[in-house]
Amino acid sequence: MVYLIDGSLESLLCAVFDWFERKPGKVSLKVLKYYQPEAFNAVHTVYNDPSNADRVWKGLGQKLDKGWLRRFYCTFLAETAEAYVTLFEFACYIFSSLPGAEHNYGNPHVLKLAQTAKKVEREKHRMEAFIRFQQTSDDLFYCGIDPDFNVLPLIMSHFKNRYADQKWIIYDLKRHYGLFYDLEAVSEIHFSLEEERTLSKPAREQLSEKEGLYALLWNDYFKSTNIAARKNTKLHVQHVPKRYWKYLTEKKVL
Amino acid sequence: MSERIREKLNILADAAKYDVSCSSSGGTRKNDNKGLGDSHASGICHTYTEDGRCVSLLKILLTNHCIFDCAYCVSRKSNDIERAAFTVEEVVSLTMNFYRRNYIEGLFLSSGIFKNADFTMERLLKVVKKLRLEERFNGYIHLKTIPGASDELITEAGMYADRMSINLEMPTESGLKLLAPDKSHQDVIQPLGLVQNQIVQFKADKKLIRNVPKFVPAGQSTQMVIGATPETDKDIMQTADTFYRNFSLKRVYYSGYIPISNDNRLPLLGSQPPLIRENRLYQTDWLMRFYGFHVNELLNDINPHLDIDIDPKLSWALRNLQFFPVDINVAAYKMILRIPGIGVSSAKKIVQARQFGKLRIDQLKKIGVAYNRARHFIKCADSPYQLKDYQGTQIKSFIMAESQSKYLKHDTQQLILF
């Protein structure tokens, strides 16, 4: 039996609801985006019913504490086909066991969920560290990113609290949406492809006049704080993997 | 203008880089005044230098003019180097602008001693006051306590800084006397004690009165240079342990001495900094703080030095084989923590997971235990039955044969005959 979902959190929760309502036994969960029709398996397309989804989410809330709910949500943000299966199996396991079952790290789904959530949290933390704002001429701080996982919802409050007195935009170039803070609240924004292209390579006159100076000073600082006698490239790359270098001002040649 | 500031930043960042501390954790400042900055409880490393050390704070000296002549320090009076000094405004605008671009978590401000201790401390205080009060900056500030500064100045600085630190420099009094005759450990102990007492006092007040201002919320730390004077690892760690206990320090940093001078009291210019030793000391430090080891278990009169080729936890286990093998399905959490190859998070997972059934090897591997190392010390549900008891040296050679030390260029494994 195949359960087909559209990839939203709602559809995932409805799949859990359907499984308990229909009791089909072992099912494999597939996401519409990656789905290839199969000849010998019956397919059940999950219908998104908000009230069912709510009921499942509430039920999870009663079974799990805040930390585990966050892990559940983080795993969802990983957006991989494997993560959806893990979430589905985890939810079914939690509902069919006694309270406290989430601590059973011997269960492969529990462990997988904890590990995937950890990966997402790590990516979130890396974004908090590696985002480098550029000040534009109209006094806006901009940064474009393409994280491995969809972490914008997770980093929003961090940047909102931290940069409360400056306008900023963080734009996910891979998923084509971004966050804009206007000194009051954060809102979601979408750019056209054209705008995305100009933003990823801003011209000199679009940037604030001080931007070049501070980027240069930061580059200098990065070099002079290094101790050449202790050079350890392996450790350096381990902490700052090469795929993040494109964000980093200190890795650009100015 | 911009040329001069570049030059100054290069000189003063270069002079500050031998201070190891770069942690930005433990801050509790919230951005409740619509200003700039908000502490992150665990701290954030914004980048790493090519030597693999994290950069989380803008680490600079206010000036590298200094009236002292300590042999181990680049900024010593007799050293012929370029000197520079920042103005208060320059430090403030650098910090604010770097922070706005998400380059840093905050500021680490230290200074050479010019004129006298009070004068220097006053200038440091001016910078932090301007940041906190005028610029409404809530980021992390790590401030050096200047030994010999007056109690009032140090206490006032504590109201604005998140962490304060003061360096022991050398692990023993005799080592310090050899390289810096003007200094003594007593100069360090007095201000450390002062700040510690204030922290305790403010915490006690907080229980009674709601609006008590913050006082050094991220605590104090210190640093020792190792490898410049001939102390044993035991001396170093016992000093560290004493300071952890007496002053509730958050961290003690160990900085491998990097040869910077021709002085005949110090290692030759161009000799390798003791990186492995430094690494082993940090491992010991962690074992003391997070794994429940007492310093005397790891280092004592029989073993005054740490093993260079294996880590201190493994080394302890090999000396104390009478405690092993440990049955991970019944043993206490404290004992599981002591097994080589099992860390804090694996140990926690094991203790939770074993309530649901006996754990097997494959589950342990998935949980994240370094099984090839741990298997010599544990028993689990499906451990293979073993007739022979191995000796410590044999277990060591098994583990060494499987692992490749990152420090060894050529594997020089000695053969064992028996």
Side-chain angles (χ1 to χ4, degrees), chain B residues 66-79 83 113 147 169-170 175-184 225 257 260-261 263 265-266:
Chain B
C66 193
I67 54 172
F68 286 110
D69 200 26
C70 313
Y72 51 81
C73 177
V74 263
S75 307
R76 64 186 178 279
K77 193 170 61 182
S78 60
N79 202 12
R83 306 277 169 174
I113 317 284
E169 311 296 7
M170 294 298 148
L176 190 65
K177 275 278 169 283
L178 178 70
L179 298 178
D182 313 340
K183 292 189 175 174
S184 81
V225 177
Y257 177 72
I260 42 153
S261 132
D263 199 308
R265 290 169 291 181
L266 287 165

PDB file of all heavy atoms in Angstrom, chain B residues 66-79 83 113 147 169-170 175-184 225 257 260-261 263 265-266:
ATOM      1  N   CYS B  66      53.454  49.224  26.190  1.00  0.00           N
ATOM      2  CA  CYS B  66      53.381  48.565  27.496  1.00  0.00           C
ATOM      3  C   CYS B  66      54.605  48.910  28.333  1.00  0.00           C
ATOM      4  O   CYS B  66      55.717  49.026  27.810  1.00  0.00           O
ATOM      5  CB  CYS B  66      53.266  47.054  27.329  1.00  0.00           C
ATOM      6  SG  CYS B  66      52.807  46.220  28.848  1.00  0.00           S
ATOM      7  N   ILE B  67      54.379  49.082  29.636  1.00  0.00           N
ATOM      8  CA  ILE B  67      55.508  49.439  30.499  1.00  0.00           C
ATOM      9  C   ILE B  67      56.193  48.203  31.058  1.00  0.00           C
ATOM     10  O   ILE B  67      57.228  48.290  31.688  1.00  0.00           O
ATOM     11  CB  ILE B  67      55.056  50.344  31.677  1.00  0.00           C
ATOM     12  CG1 ILE B  67      53.921  49.682  32.450  1.00  0.00           C
ATOM     13  CG2 ILE B  67      54.634  51.696  31.168  1.00  0.00           C
ATOM     14  CD1 ILE B  67      53.561  50.423  33.730  1.00  0.00           C
ATOM     15  N   PHE B  68      55.603  47.013  30.821  1.00  0.00           N
ATOM     16  CA  PHE B  68      56.201  45.788  31.358  1.00  0.00           C
ATOM     17  C   PHE B  68      57.125  45.138  30.335  1.00  0.00           C
ATOM     18  O   PHE B  68      57.017  45.373  29.136  1.00  0.00           O
ATOM     19  CB  PHE B  68      55.123  44.796  31.778  1.00  0.00           C
ATOM     20  CG  PHE B  68      54.445  45.191  33.048  1.00  0.00           C
ATOM     21  CD1 PHE B  68      53.124  45.626  33.050  1.00  0.00           C
ATOM     22  CD2 PHE B  68      55.144  45.136  34.241  1.00  0.00           C
ATOM     23  CE1 PHE B  68      52.511  46.002  34.221  1.00  0.00           C
ATOM     24  CE2 PHE B  68      54.514  45.503  35.427  1.00  0.00           C
ATOM     25  CZ  PHE B  68      53.204  45.940  35.416  1.00  0.00           C
ATOM     26  N   ASP B  69      57.994  44.254  30.808  1.00  0.00           N
ATOM     27  CA  ASP B  69      58.940  43.589  29.923  1.00  0.00           C
ATOM     28  C   ASP B  69      58.903  42.077  30.157  1.00  0.00           C
ATOM     29  O   ASP B  69      59.880  41.479  30.589  1.00  0.00           O
ATOM     30  CB  ASP B  69      60.351  44.147  30.179  1.00  0.00           C
ATOM     31  CG  ASP B  69      61.265  43.873  29.001  1.00  0.00           C
ATOM     32  OD1 ASP B  69      60.734  43.743  27.874  1.00  0.00           O
ATOM     33  OD2 ASP B  69      62.481  43.778  29.192  1.00  0.00           O
ATOM     34  N   CYS B  70      57.739  41.456  29.865  1.00  0.00           N
ATOM     35  CA  CYS B  70      57.594  40.025  30.110  1.00  0.00           C
ATOM     36  C   CYS B  70      58.152  39.263  28.904  1.00  0.00           C
ATOM     37  O   CYS B  70      57.736  39.504  27.777  1.00  0.00           O
ATOM     38  CB  CYS B  70      56.137  39.659  30.294  1.00  0.00           C
ATOM     39  SG  CYS B  70      55.288  40.770  31.424  1.00  0.00           S
ATOM     40  N   ALA B  71      59.043  38.328  29.182  1.00  0.00           N
ATOM     41  CA  ALA B  71      59.800  37.683  28.107  1.00  0.00           C
ATOM     42  C   ALA B  71      58.932  36.947  27.092  1.00  0.00           C
ATOM     43  O   ALA B  71      59.271  36.854  25.929  1.00  0.00           O
ATOM     44  CB  ALA B  71      60.808  36.712  28.715  1.00  0.00           C
ATOM     45  N   TYR B  72      57.754  36.415  27.531  1.00  0.00           N
ATOM     46  CA  TYR B  72      56.932  35.583  26.647  1.00  0.00           C
ATOM     47  C   TYR B  72      55.989  36.398  25.765  1.00  0.00           C
ATOM     48  O   TYR B  72      55.252  35.845  24.961  1.00  0.00           O
ATOM     49  CB  TYR B  72      56.104  34.604  27.494  1.00  0.00           C
ATOM     50  CG  TYR B  72      55.345  35.308  28.598  1.00  0.00           C
ATOM     51  CD1 TYR B  72      54.150  35.945  28.342  1.00  0.00           C
ATOM     52  CD2 TYR B  72      55.872  35.385  29.891  1.00  0.00           C
ATOM     53  CE1 TYR B  72      53.485  36.629  29.331  1.00  0.00           C
ATOM     54  CE2 TYR B  72      55.198  36.068  30.885  1.00  0.00           C
ATOM     55  CZ  TYR B  72      54.011  36.684  30.599  1.00  0.00           C
ATOM     56  OH  TYR B  72      53.358  37.380  31.575  1.00  0.00           O
ATOM     57  N   CYS B  73      55.962  37.738  25.923  1.00  0.00           N
ATOM     58  CA  CYS B  73      54.915  38.541  25.289  1.00  0.00           C
ATOM     59  C   CYS B  73      55.474  39.338  24.111  1.00  0.00           C
ATOM     60  O   CYS B  73      56.571  39.883  24.202  1.00  0.00           O
ATOM     61  CB  CYS B  73      54.312  39.482  26.328  1.00  0.00           C
ATOM     62  SG  CYS B  73      53.067  40.585  25.676  1.00  0.00           S
ATOM     63  N   VAL B  74      54.704  39.409  22.991  1.00  0.00           N
ATOM     64  CA  VAL B  74      55.186  40.188  21.849  1.00  0.00           C
ATOM     65  C   VAL B  74      55.208  41.678  22.130  1.00  0.00           C
ATOM     66  O   VAL B  74      56.002  42.411  21.543  1.00  0.00           O
ATOM     67  CB  VAL B  74      54.329  40.030  20.575  1.00  0.00           C
ATOM     68  CG1 VAL B  74      54.903  39.015  19.649  1.00  0.00           C
ATOM     69  CG2 VAL B  74      52.890  39.762  20.890  1.00  0.00           C
ATOM     70  N   SER B  75      54.336  42.146  22.992  1.00  0.00           N
ATOM     71  CA  SER B  75      54.248  43.592  23.219  1.00  0.00           C
ATOM     72  C   SER B  75      55.188  44.085  24.304  1.00  0.00           C
ATOM     73  O   SER B  75      55.059  45.214  24.766  1.00  0.00           O
ATOM     74  CB  SER B  75      52.811  43.971  23.595  1.00  0.00           C
ATOM     75  OG  SER B  75      51.915  43.496  22.648  1.00  0.00           O
ATOM     76  N   ARG B  76      56.150  43.252  24.733  1.00  0.00           N
ATOM     77  CA  ARG B  76      57.048  43.658  25.822  1.00  0.00           C
ATOM     78  C   ARG B  76      57.829  44.912  25.423  1.00  0.00           C
ATOM     79  O   ARG B  76      58.085  45.147  24.239  1.00  0.00           O
ATOM     80  CB  ARG B  76      57.997  42.519  26.178  1.00  0.00           C
ATOM     81  CG  ARG B  76      58.951  42.133  25.049  1.00  0.00           C
ATOM     82  CD  ARG B  76      59.767  40.911  25.404  1.00  0.00           C
ATOM     83  NE  ARG B  76      60.625  40.543  24.286  1.00  0.00           N
ATOM     84  CZ  ARG B  76      60.226  39.860  23.227  1.00  0.00           C
ATOM     85  NH1 ARG B  76      58.962  39.473  23.136  1.00  0.00           N
ATOM     86  NH2 ARG B  76      61.045  39.578  22.245  1.00  0.00           N
ATOM     87  N   LYS B  77      58.194  45.660  26.464  1.00  0.00           N
ATOM     88  CA  LYS B  77      58.813  46.983  26.266  1.00  0.00           C
ATOM     89  C   LYS B  77      60.051  46.909  25.377  1.00  0.00           C
ATOM     90  O   LYS B  77      60.267  47.761  24.511  1.00  0.00           O
ATOM     91  CB  LYS B  77      59.178  47.548  27.641  1.00  0.00           C
ATOM     92  CG  LYS B  77      59.537  49.002  27.648  1.00  0.00           C
ATOM     93  CD  LYS B  77      59.641  49.497  29.074  1.00  0.00           C
ATOM     94  CE  LYS B  77      60.725  48.746  29.849  1.00  0.00           C
ATOM     95  NZ  LYS B  77      60.827  49.162  31.269  1.00  0.00           N
ATOM     96  N   SER B  78      60.867  45.858  25.586  1.00  0.00           N
ATOM     97  CA  SER B  78      62.151  45.808  24.887  1.00  0.00           C
ATOM     98  C   SER B  78      62.038  45.303  23.455  1.00  0.00           C
ATOM     99  O   SER B  78      63.022  45.289  22.725  1.00  0.00           O
ATOM    100  CB  SER B  78      63.113  44.909  25.670  1.00  0.00           C
ATOM    101  OG  SER B  78      62.550  43.617  25.755  1.00  0.00           O
ATOM    102  N   ASN B  79      60.844  44.861  23.042  1.00  0.00           N
ATOM    103  CA  ASN B  79      60.695  44.311  21.695  1.00  0.00           C
ATOM    104  C   ASN B  79      60.582  45.449  20.682  1.00  0.00           C
ATOM    105  O   ASN B  79      59.843  46.412  20.894  1.00  0.00           O
ATOM    106  CB  ASN B  79      59.447  43.432  21.632  1.00  0.00           C
ATOM    107  CG  ASN B  79      59.506  42.444  20.489  1.00  0.00           C
ATOM    108  OD1 ASN B  79      60.568  42.252  19.874  1.00  0.00           O
ATOM    109  ND2 ASN B  79      58.399  41.805  20.207  1.00  0.00           N
ATOM    110  N   ARG B  83      54.224  50.278  17.124  1.00  0.00           N
ATOM    111  CA  ARG B  83      53.251  50.505  18.199  1.00  0.00           C
ATOM    112  C   ARG B  83      52.094  51.334  17.654  1.00  0.00           C
ATOM    113  O   ARG B  83      52.274  52.155  16.740  1.00  0.00           O
ATOM    114  CB  ARG B  83      53.902  51.256  19.370  1.00  0.00           C
ATOM    115  CG  ARG B  83      55.152  50.598  19.915  1.00  0.00           C
ATOM    116  CD  ARG B  83      54.846  49.500  20.905  1.00  0.00           C
ATOM    117  NE  ARG B  83      56.046  48.735  21.203  1.00  0.00           N
ATOM    118  CZ  ARG B  83      56.118  47.777  22.119  1.00  0.00           C
ATOM    119  NH1 ARG B  83      55.048  47.470  22.834  1.00  0.00           N
ATOM    120  NH2 ARG B  83      57.221  47.116  22.325  1.00  0.00           N
ATOM    121  N   ILE B 113      49.725  47.842  29.166  1.00  0.00           N
ATOM    122  CA  ILE B 113      49.610  48.793  30.279  1.00  0.00           C
ATOM    123  C   ILE B 113      50.391  50.060  29.913  1.00  0.00           C
ATOM    124  O   ILE B 113      51.604  49.988  29.731  1.00  0.00           O
ATOM    125  CB  ILE B 113      50.213  48.214  31.566  1.00  0.00           C
ATOM    126  CG1 ILE B 113      49.818  46.750  31.741  1.00  0.00           C
ATOM    127  CG2 ILE B 113      49.846  49.064  32.775  1.00  0.00           C
ATOM    128  CD1 ILE B 113      48.451  46.506  32.202  1.00  0.00           C
ATOM    129  N   PRO B 147      45.517  43.941  36.033  1.00  0.00           N
ATOM    130  CA  PRO B 147      46.000  43.697  37.392  1.00  0.00           C
ATOM    131  C   PRO B 147      46.488  45.001  38.021  1.00  0.00           C
ATOM    132  O   PRO B 147      47.182  45.776  37.369  1.00  0.00           O
ATOM    133  CB  PRO B 147      47.165  42.728  37.209  1.00  0.00           C
ATOM    134  CG  PRO B 147      47.132  42.283  35.799  1.00  0.00           C
ATOM    135  CD  PRO B 147      46.317  43.230  35.032  1.00  0.00           C
ATOM    136  N   GLU B 169      49.167  33.583  33.017  1.00  0.00           N
ATOM    137  CA  GLU B 169      50.383  33.561  32.184  1.00  0.00           C
ATOM    138  C   GLU B 169      51.187  32.277  32.337  1.00  0.00           C
ATOM    139  O   GLU B 169      51.347  31.541  31.387  1.00  0.00           O
ATOM    140  CB  GLU B 169      51.292  34.780  32.453  1.00  0.00           C
ATOM    141  CG  GLU B 169      50.570  36.123  32.438  1.00  0.00           C
ATOM    142  CD  GLU B 169      49.968  36.488  31.094  1.00  0.00           C
ATOM    143  OE1 GLU B 169      49.990  35.657  30.178  1.00  0.00           O
ATOM    144  OE2 GLU B 169      49.448  37.613  30.957  1.00  0.00           O
ATOM    145  N   MET B 170      51.730  31.989  33.523  1.00  0.00           N
ATOM    146  CA  MET B 170      52.515  30.766  33.698  1.00  0.00           C
ATOM    147  C   MET B 170      51.848  29.900  34.757  1.00  0.00           C
ATOM    148  O   MET B 170      51.328  30.410  35.744  1.00  0.00           O
ATOM    149  CB  MET B 170      53.939  31.096  34.161  1.00  0.00           C
ATOM    150  CG  MET B 170      54.748  31.839  33.137  1.00  0.00           C
ATOM    151  SD  MET B 170      54.970  30.857  31.660  1.00  0.00           S
ATOM    152  CE  MET B 170      55.008  32.164  30.441  1.00  0.00           C
ATOM    153  N   GLY B 175      57.733  29.712  37.553  1.00  0.00           N
ATOM    154  CA  GLY B 175      57.843  29.949  36.110  1.00  0.00           C
ATOM    155  C   GLY B 175      57.622  31.414  35.785  1.00  0.00           C
ATOM    156  O   GLY B 175      58.318  32.012  34.948  1.00  0.00           O
ATOM    157  N   LEU B 176      56.644  31.994  36.445  1.00  0.00           N
ATOM    158  CA  LEU B 176      56.324  33.397  36.207  1.00  0.00           C
ATOM    159  C   LEU B 176      57.470  34.302  36.648  1.00  0.00           C
ATOM    160  O   LEU B 176      57.830  35.249  35.949  1.00  0.00           O
ATOM    161  CB  LEU B 176      55.032  33.759  36.944  1.00  0.00           C
ATOM    162  CG  LEU B 176      54.419  35.120  36.621  1.00  0.00           C
ATOM    163  CD1 LEU B 176      53.969  35.159  35.171  1.00  0.00           C
ATOM    164  CD2 LEU B 176      53.235  35.414  37.517  1.00  0.00           C
ATOM    165  N   LYS B 177      58.025  33.979  37.793  1.00  0.00           N
ATOM    166  CA  LYS B 177      59.130  34.789  38.318  1.00  0.00           C
ATOM    167  C   LYS B 177      60.334  34.774  37.370  1.00  0.00           C
ATOM    168  O   LYS B 177      61.060  35.753  37.218  1.00  0.00           O
ATOM    169  CB  LYS B 177      59.567  34.262  39.694  1.00  0.00           C
ATOM    170  CG  LYS B 177      58.743  34.823  40.837  1.00  0.00           C
ATOM    171  CD  LYS B 177      59.250  36.205  41.247  1.00  0.00           C
ATOM    172  CE  LYS B 177      58.312  36.910  42.201  1.00  0.00           C
ATOM    173  NZ  LYS B 177      57.120  37.486  41.609  1.00  0.00           N
ATOM    174  N   LEU B 178      60.505  33.621  36.701  1.00  0.00           N
ATOM    175  CA  LEU B 178      61.634  33.468  35.787  1.00  0.00           C
ATOM    176  C   LEU B 178      61.498  34.394  34.570  1.00  0.00           C
ATOM    177  O   LEU B 178      62.458  35.029  34.140  1.00  0.00           O
ATOM    178  CB  LEU B 178      61.704  32.002  35.324  1.00  0.00           C
ATOM    179  CG  LEU B 178      62.793  31.620  34.328  1.00  0.00           C
ATOM    180  CD1 LEU B 178      64.153  31.672  34.994  1.00  0.00           C
ATOM    181  CD2 LEU B 178      62.536  30.203  33.791  1.00  0.00           C
ATOM    182  N   LEU B 179      60.269  34.478  34.025  1.00  0.00           N
ATOM    183  CA  LEU B 179      60.084  35.206  32.768  1.00  0.00           C
ATOM    184  C   LEU B 179      59.559  36.622  32.952  1.00  0.00           C
ATOM    185  O   LEU B 179      59.754  37.479  32.100  1.00  0.00           O
ATOM    186  CB  LEU B 179      59.129  34.430  31.863  1.00  0.00           C
ATOM    187  CG  LEU B 179      59.626  33.043  31.449  1.00  0.00           C
ATOM    188  CD1 LEU B 179      58.592  32.350  30.591  1.00  0.00           C
ATOM    189  CD2 LEU B 179      60.937  33.139  30.702  1.00  0.00           C
ATOM    190  N   ALA B 180      58.850  36.868  34.040  1.00  0.00           N
ATOM    191  CA  ALA B 180      58.302  38.206  34.279  1.00  0.00           C
ATOM    192  C   ALA B 180      58.516  38.560  35.743  1.00  0.00           C
ATOM    193  O   ALA B 180      57.601  38.438  36.554  1.00  0.00           O
ATOM    194  CB  ALA B 180      56.825  38.229  33.936  1.00  0.00           C
ATOM    195  N   PRO B 181      59.734  38.998  36.082  1.00  0.00           N
ATOM    196  CA  PRO B 181      60.080  39.243  37.490  1.00  0.00           C
ATOM    197  C   PRO B 181      59.162  40.255  38.180  1.00  0.00           C
ATOM    198  O   PRO B 181      58.996  40.204  39.397  1.00  0.00           O
ATOM    199  CB  PRO B 181      61.509  39.794  37.405  1.00  0.00           C
ATOM    200  CG  PRO B 181      62.011  39.406  36.059  1.00  0.00           C
ATOM    201  CD  PRO B 181      60.838  39.287  35.169  1.00  0.00           C
ATOM    202  N   ASP B 182      58.518  41.163  37.395  1.00  0.00           N
ATOM    203  CA  ASP B 182      57.663  42.185  38.022  1.00  0.00           C
ATOM    204  C   ASP B 182      56.306  41.636  38.448  1.00  0.00           C
ATOM    205  O   ASP B 182      55.554  42.281  39.154  1.00  0.00           O
ATOM    206  CB  ASP B 182      57.381  43.346  37.053  1.00  0.00           C
ATOM    207  CG  ASP B 182      58.631  43.832  36.380  1.00  0.00           C
ATOM    208  OD1 ASP B 182      59.715  43.559  36.927  1.00  0.00           O
ATOM    209  OD2 ASP B 182      58.518  44.463  35.316  1.00  0.00           O
ATOM    210  N   LYS B 183      55.940  40.443  37.932  1.00  0.00           N
ATOM    211  CA  LYS B 183      54.573  39.954  38.168  1.00  0.00           C
ATOM    212  C   LYS B 183      54.562  38.812  39.163  1.00  0.00           C
ATOM    213  O   LYS B 183      55.574  38.149  39.371  1.00  0.00           O
ATOM    214  CB  LYS B 183      53.961  39.462  36.855  1.00  0.00           C
ATOM    215  CG  LYS B 183      53.694  40.570  35.862  1.00  0.00           C
ATOM    216  CD  LYS B 183      52.906  40.042  34.699  1.00  0.00           C
ATOM    217  CE  LYS B 183      52.513  41.164  33.742  1.00  0.00           C
ATOM    218  NZ  LYS B 183      51.874  40.634  32.545  1.00  0.00           N
ATOM    219  N   SER B 184      53.379  38.585  39.781  1.00  0.00           N
ATOM    220  CA  SER B 184      53.237  37.414  40.628  1.00  0.00           C
ATOM    221  C   SER B 184      51.802  36.925  40.545  1.00  0.00           C
ATOM    222  O   SER B 184      50.909  37.654  40.103  1.00  0.00           O
ATOM    223  CB  SER B 184      53.589  37.751  42.071  1.00  0.00           C
ATOM    224  OG  SER B 184      52.481  38.363  42.682  1.00  0.00           O
ATOM    225  N   VAL B 225      50.201  30.005  29.583  1.00  0.00           N
ATOM    226  CA  VAL B 225      51.084  29.630  28.489  1.00  0.00           C
ATOM    227  C   VAL B 225      51.772  28.329  28.877  1.00  0.00           C
ATOM    228  O   VAL B 225      52.280  28.205  29.987  1.00  0.00           O
ATOM    229  CB  VAL B 225      52.131  30.728  28.248  1.00  0.00           C
ATOM    230  CG1 VAL B 225      53.102  30.297  27.164  1.00  0.00           C
ATOM    231  CG2 VAL B 225      51.458  32.024  27.877  1.00  0.00           C
ATOM    232  N   TYR B 257      53.046  27.633  23.719  1.00  0.00           N
ATOM    233  CA  TYR B 257      53.929  28.776  23.487  1.00  0.00           C
ATOM    234  C   TYR B 257      54.434  28.785  22.047  1.00  0.00           C
ATOM    235  O   TYR B 257      54.955  27.784  21.544  1.00  0.00           O
ATOM    236  CB  TYR B 257      55.112  28.742  24.447  1.00  0.00           C
ATOM    237  CG  TYR B 257      56.098  29.856  24.195  1.00  0.00           C
ATOM    238  CD1 TYR B 257      55.779  31.170  24.527  1.00  0.00           C
ATOM    239  CD2 TYR B 257      57.319  29.603  23.603  1.00  0.00           C
ATOM    240  CE1 TYR B 257      56.660  32.191  24.265  1.00  0.00           C
ATOM    241  CE2 TYR B 257      58.213  30.624  23.338  1.00  0.00           C
ATOM    242  CZ  TYR B 257      57.874  31.916  23.669  1.00  0.00           C
ATOM    243  OH  TYR B 257      58.740  32.931  23.397  1.00  0.00           O
ATOM    244  N   ILE B 260      58.626  33.580  19.987  1.00  0.00           N
ATOM    245  CA  ILE B 260      58.565  34.926  19.425  1.00  0.00           C
ATOM    246  C   ILE B 260      59.794  35.728  19.842  1.00  0.00           C
ATOM    247  O   ILE B 260      59.860  36.923  19.569  1.00  0.00           O
ATOM    248  CB  ILE B 260      57.312  35.684  19.920  1.00  0.00           C
ATOM    249  CG1 ILE B 260      57.104  35.416  21.402  1.00  0.00           C
ATOM    250  CG2 ILE B 260      56.085  35.330  19.137  1.00  0.00           C
ATOM    251  CD1 ILE B 260      56.391  36.503  22.116  1.00  0.00           C
ATOM    252  N   SER B 261      60.759  35.076  20.514  1.00  0.00           N
ATOM    253  CA  SER B 261      61.855  35.875  21.017  1.00  0.00           C
ATOM    254  C   SER B 261      63.140  35.067  21.085  1.00  0.00           C
ATOM    255  O   SER B 261      63.130  33.833  21.154  1.00  0.00           O
ATOM    256  CB  SER B 261      61.458  36.410  22.403  1.00  0.00           C
ATOM    257  OG  SER B 261      62.483  36.210  23.316  1.00  0.00           O
ATOM    258  N   ASP B 263      65.263  35.265  23.488  1.00  0.00           N
ATOM    259  CA  ASP B 263      65.635  35.138  24.886  1.00  0.00           C
ATOM    260  C   ASP B 263      66.083  33.710  25.194  1.00  0.00           C
ATOM    261  O   ASP B 263      65.425  32.742  24.806  1.00  0.00           O
ATOM    262  CB  ASP B 263      64.383  35.476  25.728  1.00  0.00           C
ATOM    263  CG  ASP B 263      64.759  35.813  27.142  1.00  0.00           C
ATOM    264  OD1 ASP B 263      65.469  34.999  27.750  1.00  0.00           O
ATOM    265  OD2 ASP B 263      64.339  36.878  27.628  1.00  0.00           O
ATOM    266  N   ARG B 265      66.012  32.124  27.892  1.00  0.00           N
ATOM    267  CA  ARG B 265      65.200  31.423  28.883  1.00  0.00           C
ATOM    268  C   ARG B 265      64.065  30.648  28.206  1.00  0.00           C
ATOM    269  O   ARG B 265      63.356  29.868  28.818  1.00  0.00           O
ATOM    270  CB  ARG B 265      64.592  32.424  29.867  1.00  0.00           C
ATOM    271  CG  ARG B 265      65.594  33.054  30.806  1.00  0.00           C
ATOM    272  CD  ARG B 265      64.959  34.210  31.557  1.00  0.00           C
ATOM    273  NE  ARG B 265      64.679  35.346  30.679  1.00  0.00           N
ATOM    274  CZ  ARG B 265      64.135  36.483  31.095  1.00  0.00           C
ATOM    275  NH1 ARG B 265      63.770  36.625  32.341  1.00  0.00           N
ATOM    276  NH2 ARG B 265      63.928  37.476  30.257  1.00  0.00           N
ATOM    277  N   LEU B 266      63.831  30.938  26.908  1.00  0.00           N
ATOM    278  CA  LEU B 266      62.650  30.412  26.220  1.00  0.00           C
ATOM    279  C   LEU B 266      63.041  29.463  25.090  1.00  0.00           C
ATOM    280  O   LEU B 266      64.176  29.482  24.637  1.00  0.00           O
ATOM    281  CB  LEU B 266      61.865  31.587  25.630  1.00  0.00           C
ATOM    282  CG  LEU B 266      61.121  32.443  26.635  1.00  0.00           C
ATOM    283  CD1 LEU B 266      60.691  33.745  26.012  1.00  0.00           C
ATOM    284  CD2 LEU B 266      59.925  31.683  27.168  1.00  0.00           C
TER     285      LEU B 266
END
